[in-house]
Amino acid sequence: MRYRTLGGTGIEVSVHCLGTMMFGSVGNPDHADCTRILHTALDQGINFVDTADMYSSGESEEIVGKALKGRREDVVLATKVHFPMGEGPNRGGNSRRWITHEVEQSLRRLGTDWIDLYQVHRPDPATDIEETLSVLTDLVSAGKIRAFGCSTFPAEDLVDAYHVSERRGYGKFRTEQPPYSMVTRGIERSVLPTTQRLNMGVLTWSPLASGFLSGKVRKNQPVDLTAGRAAITPHRFDPALPANASKFEAVEQLAELAEDLGRTLPELALAFVTSHPAVTSVIIGPRTMEQLTGLLKGADLTLDDATLDRIDEIVPPGTDLHHYQSDGLWQSPALTTPTLRRRPTPDRSAA
């Protein structure tokens, strides 16, 4: 396993990062099996583990904490904060109040004295970015976290945060964690160029496009919409929906390309993501040992220019065939709030 420096932190992390969203009730409820998966990943050279407080309502963090006993010093441990953890107000978001509370809960569940990378899971329009950067900077000073980053932030928010940090003397977001795959390439337009310009590390999620590039979802073959990711977001996988036609066609061509290389589609998918110069590490999120083993087999695959050119022909750079915004992920208020897109009625005409 190769290692790359995480942004400007000086921390070296494996090119594959073990994501643990599937650890716990949402994915694999067998704690012993999850521990075996994590230990196998570490034994194969992975030193980067990513989780979040909201994964299985904290259960994922608890599993990771128990699994890392005796091996904590060897691991770069990342977790995230933002999504609600319980009913009622002030139980989520990016405020000083919530982050100060929730970092202690994550430390407790993880059974550790420090978090290497603490990430804001999504933007929070209700909280001034200055407030968020201020509390994260204080947590670094207190020794509770080593560095902090963000996830699924648009490029303009990355730039805004950078300038606030510069102006106010706060620590900077050192990383961004966006979705990226052969069929989800929108971040190539502005997010990745921005992270390069700001010297930010990038750890990408969903390289298999929520299973669409797993090799099990194919054109003219029945799709089980009652299990796995397809049961959660059936509109993404239903071949009867016209919006999915181009996606299914692209998967067929990508699968043929993988076959020509003598590789599996997931191996091709991971190698594609790690080929981008802005990407530091790609998060793999296995639910089973079999899935982990299959993903690790592709670690040595190097794509040449001809192969990358072929992928560009199938899915042009900057193109999103597999969309995440429609699944409830954060969208800019400029898109979701009509009054921010429409002048008052009397002021709309040119004369």
Side-chain angles (χ1 to χ4, degrees):
M1 184 63 61
R2 291 183 176 178
Y3 301 87
R4 296 171 178 169
T5 302
L6 189 62
T9 66
I11 300 172
E12 292 193 2
V13 296
S14 50
V15 176
H16 282 179
C17 172
L18 182 70
T20 62
M21 188 175 73
M22 290 292 103
F23 286 12
S25 59
V26 170
N28 186 344
D30 187 331
H31 288 205
D33 192 38
C34 292
T35 297
R36 285 190 292 270
I37 292 171
L38 191 148
H39 287 174
T40 299
L42 299 185
D43 292 342
Q44 293 297 313
I46 290 177
N47 78 333
F48 199 10
V49 177
D50 178 76
T51 184
D53 58 356
M54 57 86 67
Y55 292 166
S56 294
S57 300
E59 187 181 2
S60 173
E61 286 187 328
E62 293 174 353
I63 295 171
V64 169
K66 290 186 293 184
L68 288 182
K69 286 184 178 179
R71 307 186 72 166
R72 176 66 184 91
E73 294 283 349
D74 300 324
V75 172
V76 178
L77 181 58
T79 191
K80 298 183 284 293
V81 62
H82 169 80
F83 286 105
M85 295 289 287
E87 299 294 331
N90 301 313
R91 299 285 296 169
N94 301 345
S95 68
R96 172 177 285 272
R97 185 181 194 276
W98 177 245
I99 290 175
T100 301
H101 171 274
E102 191 59 14
V103 70
E104 298 293 346
Q105 302 308 307
S106 287
L107 288 167
R108 176 184 56 81
R109 288 188 291 259
L110 291 166
T112 185
D113 295 327
W114 82 97
I115 294 164
D116 293 291
L117 178 63
Y118 198 46
Q119 301 158 101
V120 177
H121 212 154
R122 292 291 185 273
D124 179 6
T127 303
D128 194 311
I129 190 62
E130 181 173 331
E131 164 117 344
T132 303
L133 293 170
S134 172
V135 63
L136 292 172
T137 300
D138 288 347
L139 292 178
V140 172
S141 298
K144 296 181 185 295
I145 65 177
R146 299 294 187 254
F148 54 87
C150 52
S151 176
T152 321
F153 272 44
E156 60 269 24
D157 282 14
L158 298 179
V159 173
D160 183 36
Y162 175 83
H163 286 297
V164 170
S165 295
E166 287 277 288
R167 187 169 62 250
R168 300 292 292 171
Y170 297 142
K172 297 181 176 67
F173 280 138
R174 292 298 189 178
T175 62
E176 159 62 9
Q177 185 180 139
Y180 188 39
S181 73
M182 292 190 292
V183 294
T184 308
R185 303 184 60 175
I187 63 170
E188 293 173 340
R189 293 193 297 269
S190 58
V191 171
L192 291 183
T194 299
T195 59
Q196 287 177 294
R197 191 169 300 172
L198 301 181
N199 193 29
M200 296 176 68
V202 174
L203 48 156
T204 63
W205 55 270
S206 201
L208 302 186
S210 299
F212 216 88
L213 296 174
S214 67
K216 298 178 181 179
V217 179
R218 301 293 297 272
K219 184 179 179 180
N220 300 324
Q221 293 183 13
V223 178
D224 184 2
L225 299 177
T226 65
R229 298 292 181 87
I232 301 173
T233 54
H235 59 279
R236 282 195 196 162
F237 298 86
D238 189 349
L241 296 179
N244 290 330
S246 59
K247 190 162 54 174
F248 274 93
E249 183 58 40
V251 168
E252 288 304 302
Q253 295 181 56
L254 292 168
E256 291 177 8
L257 177 58
E259 187 175 349
D260 291 342
L261 296 173
R263 296 285 191 153
T264 66
L265 184 56
E267 290 172 355
L268 176 65
L270 289 177
F272 166 79
V273 175
T274 63
S275 296
H276 197 288
V279 173
T280 310
S281 186
V282 54
I283 298 173
I284 57 175
R287 181 176 53 83
T288 65
M289 185 68 75
E290 180 184 9
Q291 291 175 349
L292 174 66
T293 302
L295 292 170
L296 290 178
K297 284 181 180 178
D300 64 341
L301 176 58
T302 300
L303 302 184
D304 58 22
D305 287 343
T307 301
L308 292 171
D309 288 344
R310 179 64 184 126
I311 294 173
D312 287 350
E313 292 172 0
I314 297 170
V315 182
T319 301
D320 278 336
L321 296 181
H322 192 70
H323 296 278
Y324 290 93
Q325 297 296 345
S326 60
D327 296 335
L329 294 186
W330 182 87
Q331 281 190 330
S332 168
L335 300 179
T336 59
T337 307
T339 55
L340 296 180
R341 294 182 284 106
R342 301 170 185 173
R343 290 178 178 271
T345 304
D347 297 336
R348 291 177 187 173
S349 61

